Amino acid sequence: MPSALCSTPPRKNIVAPTPKGRDRLRQAEKARREAERRFIAPLDEETAASLVRALQALVLTE
C-alpha cells in the first residue's frame, strides 16, 4: 500500500507476450471459435443468435 509520505509513484509492471505466446494465443482463439461453431451447429440461426445473446448477457453482468 503506498504511503502518503512517499513521493515516488507506485511501480507498474508491463507484461507482453513473447512471439511464441502470441502464437499460442492465436491458436487458442482459433480453437475457441471452432468449439463455439460446433456447439451451436445443431441450432437454427435464430436460436443460435438468441443463445449467444443470452450467454453474453450473463457474462457481462459480472
Side-chain angles (χ1 to χ4, degrees):
M1 175 176 248
S3 167
L5 302 176
C6 182
S7 63
T8 342
R11 293 181 185 194
K12 293 183 181 182
N13 293 322
I14 298 175
V15 179
T18 62
K20 186 176 181 179
R22 286 190 293 275
D23 287 343
R24 293 289 172 113
L25 286 170
R26 279 191 288 275
Q27 292 169 1
E29 177 58 22
K30 183 178 177 183
R32 183 206 58 80
R33 284 192 310 268
E34 178 59 20
E36 182 178 307
R37 186 196 64 75
R38 285 192 319 258
F39 183 75
I40 64 172
L43 306 175
D44 63 63
E45 189 175 328
E46 182 180 339
T47 305
S50 293
L51 174 62
V52 169
R53 280 193 305 276
L55 291 172
Q56 287 172 339
L58 288 171
V59 171
L60 295 177
T61 58
E62 296 210 13

